[in-house]
Amino acid sequence: MSKQVVVVGGGVIGLLTAFNLAAKVGQVVVCDQGEVGRESSWAGGGIVSPLYPWRYSPAVTALAHWSQDFYPQLGERLFASTGLDPEVHTTGLYWLDLDDEAEALAWAERERRPLSAVDICAAYDAVPVLGPGFKHAIFMAGVANVRNPRLVKSLKSALLTLPNVTLREHCQVSGFVHENGRVTGVHTADGVLKADEVVLSAGAWSGDLLRTLGLELPVEPVKGQMILFKCAEDFLPSMVLAKGRYAIPRRDGHILVGSTLEHAGYDKTPTEDALASLKASAIELLPELKDAMVVGHWAGLRPGSPEGIPYIGPVPGHDGLWLNCGHYRNGLVLAPASCQLFTDLLTGDEPIIDPAPYAPAGRLG
């Protein structure tokens, strides 16, 4: 297939879309308004699971399961080809004192996922630094976290080696080119960029861009703030989550704690209130963090969408325009499956899962 495809947005969804398409089409150009991978893909935690997977629709679950199974080989492939390790780090995840533990266990049995109740004493034995007072725990073995800044670096490095892929950073797209009822390119600050197919993967900015066509895509920015501690490498052996806040161990001893959920438009300013709240949650989860150094505090913008179900597929009435966006809190979780499904649809291959729940048709205003 000798088509030229323009991907608008260079987060993990856009980069992995380009990576998959490169083997299938003639040319791929990725445009990003800043540096690729520096928005929510860089800012997130990287847990390779929805925070509460049983609370999501089957549409999200289907993408999540495929991605979870695929992530280890994606990490190995990128490491082998670039020398940059995305650090797909399998630690398992403990949920503590859930209100809907019964629903979680019923979901796990129905979906055949390795989640089970554990005695709270066993949880404290496995995670000795856990704070006091927790009464109940469930554990899912095999849950990994990916070091997302390194994932986007390795994806960028892999794409730079491909002769049919061009990355255009600091190239803001302002709208779409229409010719004879078809989208045939994009308007950028550097002029028109022609394409046979255009893919909108611009994260929290996707709704603004689609609005230039008079279409309402219910994707909006939702701010999330995180903090990062530095501890000993063996400080935290597993991810832990309680009261909506989580702690994620990296292999080198960094501990990531998040996150807030704020509707503040495109404001990414870290706040003192959020810092205090995140520190309090961190110390409640892991009291020894009281004396640990905070080495980072930042905010990112999630692409909020109804029920967190992404939009994957062609835009009705606008031939040549496709969506792969609106992943809300699970862009990193769902990226491998979303981008493979998207590639299957654009190239006419058999889709990995039923594409119907993600189709833009009937979901745009």
Side-chain angles (χ1 to χ4, degrees), residues 5-93:
V5 180
V6 169
V7 179
V8 181
V12 69
I13 298 294
L15 294 175
L16 193 51
T17 295
F19 187 69
N20 287 352
L21 286 175
K24 297 281 191 174
V25 302
Q27 297 287 325
V28 183
V29 180
V30 179
C31 298
D32 195 274
Q33 63 183 350
E35 294 180 47
V36 298
R38 292 294 298 183
E39 293 293 345
S40 62
S41 299
W42 180 88
I47 301 175
V48 185
S49 170
L51 290 186
Y52 301 96
W54 54 89
R55 298 177 187 174
Y56 282 91
S57 71
V60 173
T61 297
L63 291 172
H65 287 184
W66 197 95
S67 291
Q68 286 166 327
D69 294 340
F70 186 76
Y71 247 115
Q73 68 190 71
L74 174 64
E76 290 169 9
R77 180 181 174 188
L78 289 171
F79 188 22
S81 64
T82 68
L84 297 170
D85 188 358
E87 293 190 14
V88 179
H89 182 30
T90 302
T91 66
L93 172 58

Side-chain angles (χ1 to χ4, degrees), residues 165-331:
V165 176
T166 303
L167 299 183
R168 298 186 62 166
E169 297 181 301
H170 305 287
C171 178
Q172 185 155 7
V173 171
S174 57
F176 304 96
V177 179
H178 263 268
E179 293 177 345
N180 301 318
R182 182 179 177 84
V183 172
T184 58
V186 295
H187 294 285
T188 79
D190 301 323
V192 169
L193 187 58
K194 300 288 285 195
D196 298 299
E197 313 285 349
V198 174
V199 187
L200 181 55
S201 297
W205 289 265
S206 298
D208 288 349
L209 279 168
L210 209 57
R211 205 168 290 122
T212 66
L213 297 175
L215 296 173
E216 283 298 324
L217 173 70
V219 172
E220 61 176 351
V222 182
K223 182 177 179 180
Q225 298 189 49
M226 316 276 288
I227 56 175
L228 185 68
F229 295 89
K230 184 67 173 78
C231 301
E233 289 184 15
D234 59 352
F235 172 72
L236 183 62
S238 176
M239 295 180 282
V240 291
L241 192 159
K243 299 180 181 178
R245 296 281 170 85
Y246 51 78
I248 304 170
R250 303 304 198 201
R251 286 178 180 165
D252 61 3
H254 281 97
I255 307 295
L256 196 62
V257 174
S259 64
T260 65
L261 200 64
E262 307 165 59
H263 292 269
Y266 289 100
D267 176 24
K268 292 193 300 177
T269 309
T271 64
E272 289 300 317
D273 285 350
L275 178 61
S277 175
L278 289 166
K279 278 185 174 179
S281 294
I283 293 165
E284 183 177 6
L285 263 177
L286 307 166
E288 289 181 34
L289 290 181
K290 184 173 185 290
D291 301 316
M293 179 185 298
V294 175
V295 294
H297 172 212
W298 62 86
L301 300 175
R302 309 175 184 90
S305 60
E307 298 184 72
I309 300 173
Y311 297 82
I312 306 171
V315 177
H318 297 272
D319 288 349
L321 181 60
W322 301 73
L323 302 183
N324 191 3
C325 58
H327 294 73
Y328 200 7
R329 304 190 75 172
N330 295 309

